[in-house]
Amino acid sequence: MSGNFLALAQPGVQQLSPYVPGKPVDELARELDLDPASIVKLASNENPLGASPKALAAIREALDELTRYPDGNGFALKSLLAEQCRVELNQVTLGNGSNDILELVARAYLAPGLNAVFSEHAFAVYPIATQAVGAQAKVVPAKEWGHDLPAMLAAIDANTRVVFIANPNNPTGTWFGAEALDEFLQDVPAHVLVVLDEAYIEYAEGSDLPDGLDFLAAYPNLLVSRTFSKAYGLAALRVGYGLSTPVVADVLNRVRQPFNVNSLALAAACAALKDEEYLAQSRQLNESGMQQLEAGFRELGLSWIPSRGNFICVDLGQVAAPVFQGLLREGVIVRPVANYGMPNHLRVTIGLPAENSRFLEALRKVLARG
Ligand SMILES: *Cc1c(COP(=O)(O)O)cnc(C)c1O
């Protein structure tokens, strides 16, 4: 007799569903016998530009040192980040993607009997990180698809150690302003670490979104997490970072894997940070692509949730699931978000102008078929 190793998993893990990623291009190509090059994937909020040429050059150079362990302290990248983010070196924590930062927070601060507060329709990694360490997830109903910060505040209790908030949020694209954030931070009890997930903040420059870094000095219980996966175009390499007080950074540093960020990722991230032209191009492409999709939706009589990310959720009502399938048959992969409590929406990542057109054309065709 062997043990029931599902029932033996800790209860929080038994209740989890695995993270569902966007459908890979090669998988759809195999299933429908399509040429992978003909498939448009707008499903994982990836940067359609391709990686920065400067990052690629840095990776080629770093290849010569693959036999060595990476710099476990990530000195070069941390130095650049500290300078750019106006913090000290000892306030920076590097992660294997910013997912890693979220998990380090959970591992360091959550445990059975404790809880984390986050919003309905929030990023799927928050429940995974929380329940993986046996803590309770307190999910607060959303308001107009976005975070209801006062309700989240009210949900905090003596056993709360972490609040996850994302600005803008994925998958909804919703956001909150500086005043709302400041009021929230003022009222969060001192025993609660606020994780402000800014995975898409680079796209929001010059908008009404606050810069989380502006709040670090005033609020020692704030951690801002950011990533190289989106606007910096390095999703495959897995590199992100957290900015916090030195104390919180020290705690996270105790629980991380010694070499959690590989040397190619470190080299590429340094180069990408310095490539301002690439970032500006990413932003500009995103802005025009967002307008292109909104115009297309308007023409089709569809409504959408306004977004400050590199993606947008379009409302297809009852037919969201069949439209998703229909789009697949047209060689276009978008993201169903029923598992985020949004069965009527599909999330579409902003692509290159031609990819956006392909998607809109396919959508028109699928909807016309009824
Ligand atoms: C994409 C994303 C992340 C980060 O992903 P990494 O690739 O692990 O850096 C974090 N939070 C949100 C809300 C995201 O959408």
Side-chain angles (χ1 to χ4, degrees):
M1 276 287 279
S2 63
N4 180 345
F5 282 96
L6 177 57
L8 287 166
Q10 57 108 333
V13 173
Q14 288 183 50
Q15 286 156 20
L16 276 176
S17 311
Y19 180 82
V20 184
K23 193 177 187 67
V25 166
D26 287 339
E27 190 178 301
L28 183 66
R30 272 197 310 276
E31 285 172 7
L32 296 183
D33 201 21
L34 293 173
D35 175 5
S38 75
I39 293 174
V40 170
K41 184 188 175 204
L42 302 174
S44 298
N45 299 347
E46 294 150 339
N47 195 319
L49 263 182
S52 144
K54 290 182 178 151
L56 293 176
I59 289 170
R60 279 184 208 108
E61 208 167 303
L63 283 174
D64 293 340
E65 295 293 322
L66 277 192
T67 190
R68 311 258 175 228
Y69 279 104
D71 174 3
N73 291 316
F75 178 79
L77 179 56
K78 278 191 188 174
S79 302
L80 283 176
L81 286 169
E83 190 188 325
Q84 195 188 75
C85 300
R86 312 172 308 273
V87 297
E88 299 298 322
L89 201 72
N90 63 3
Q91 295 182 260
V92 185
T93 306
L94 298 182
N96 192 264
S98 59
N99 271 6
D100 195 21
I101 301 293
L102 306 176
E103 292 200 5
L104 295 179
V105 166
R107 219 176 321 148
Y109 289 102
L110 296 173
L114 302 175
N115 68 67
V117 170
F118 52 88
S119 177
E120 181 188 17
H121 317 308
F123 190 40
V125 168
Y126 307 158
I128 292 175
T130 301
Q131 289 172 232
V133 297
Q136 186 206 349
K138 284 187 97 174
V139 184
V140 177
K143 192 170 166 186
E144 289 161 33
W145 303 109
H147 292 5
D148 184 345
L149 292 177
M152 293 180 76
L153 206 53
I156 292 172
D157 62 31
N159 295 322
T160 304
R161 289 294 177 275
V162 178
V163 178
F164 292 107
I165 52 177
N167 205 30
N169 183 51
N170 171 29
T172 58
T174 50
W175 67 97
F176 45 80
E179 206 175 318
L181 176 61
D182 198 39
E183 279 171 19
F184 179 76
L185 290 170
Q186 272 177 38
D187 290 345
V188 170
H191 68 273
V192 176
L193 183 68
V194 177
V195 176
L196 175 58
D197 182 343
E198 292 189 332
Y200 302 93
I201 197 69
E202 295 86 2
Y203 290 112
E205 208 196 54
S207 76
D208 50 348
L209 260 86
D211 180 338
L213 304 184
D214 293 341
F215 297 79
L216 278 176
Y219 298 104
N221 59 339
L222 175 65
L223 178 140
V224 176
S225 70
R226 294 185 172 183
T227 182
F228 286 92
S229 298
K230 311 284 163 56
Y232 287 104
L234 298 175
L237 287 177
R238 316 303 306 126
V239 52
Y241 56 100
L243 304 162
S244 64
T245 59
V247 175
V248 170
D250 168 53
V251 166
L252 299 184
N253 196 41
R254 295 178 192 200
V255 295
R256 74 177 173 87
Q257 279 188 41
F259 304 103
N260 60 336
V261 184
N262 73 72
S263 48
L264 304 186
L266 289 171
C270 285
L273 259 192
K274 293 183 208 155
D275 193 347
E276 286 169 25
E277 201 183 312
Y278 177 88
L279 189 63
Q281 212 182 336
S282 295
R283 280 195 190 111
Q284 198 243 317
L285 194 70
N286 195 60
E287 207 165 302
S288 58
M290 186 71 86
Q291 285 168 10
Q292 186 185 357
L293 289 191
E294 288 182 346
F297 295 152
R298 203 174 288 121
E299 230 179 275
L300 291 168
L302 299 169
S303 56
W304 63 88
I305 305 173
S307 167
R308 284 276 187 272
N310 67 344
F311 56 89
I312 184 165
C313 281
V314 59
D315 188 351
L316 291 152
Q318 302 292 316
V319 296
V323 166
F324 169 69
Q325 294 297 336
L327 288 171
L328 286 182
R329 285 190 292 275
E330 297 294 324
V332 176
I333 310 174
V334 297
R335 188 71 157 268
V337 281
N339 57 334
Y340 285 89
M342 303 171 71
N344 294 345
H345 288 86
L346 292 176
R347 191 193 69 188
V348 188
T349 302
I350 311 300
L352 297 170
E355 295 175 318
N356 300 331
S357 299
R358 260 284 302 279
F359 158 69
L360 287 171
E361 203 38 56
L363 182 61
R364 182 191 314 277
K365 226 161 129 181
V366 170
L367 287 172
R369 266 189 228 129

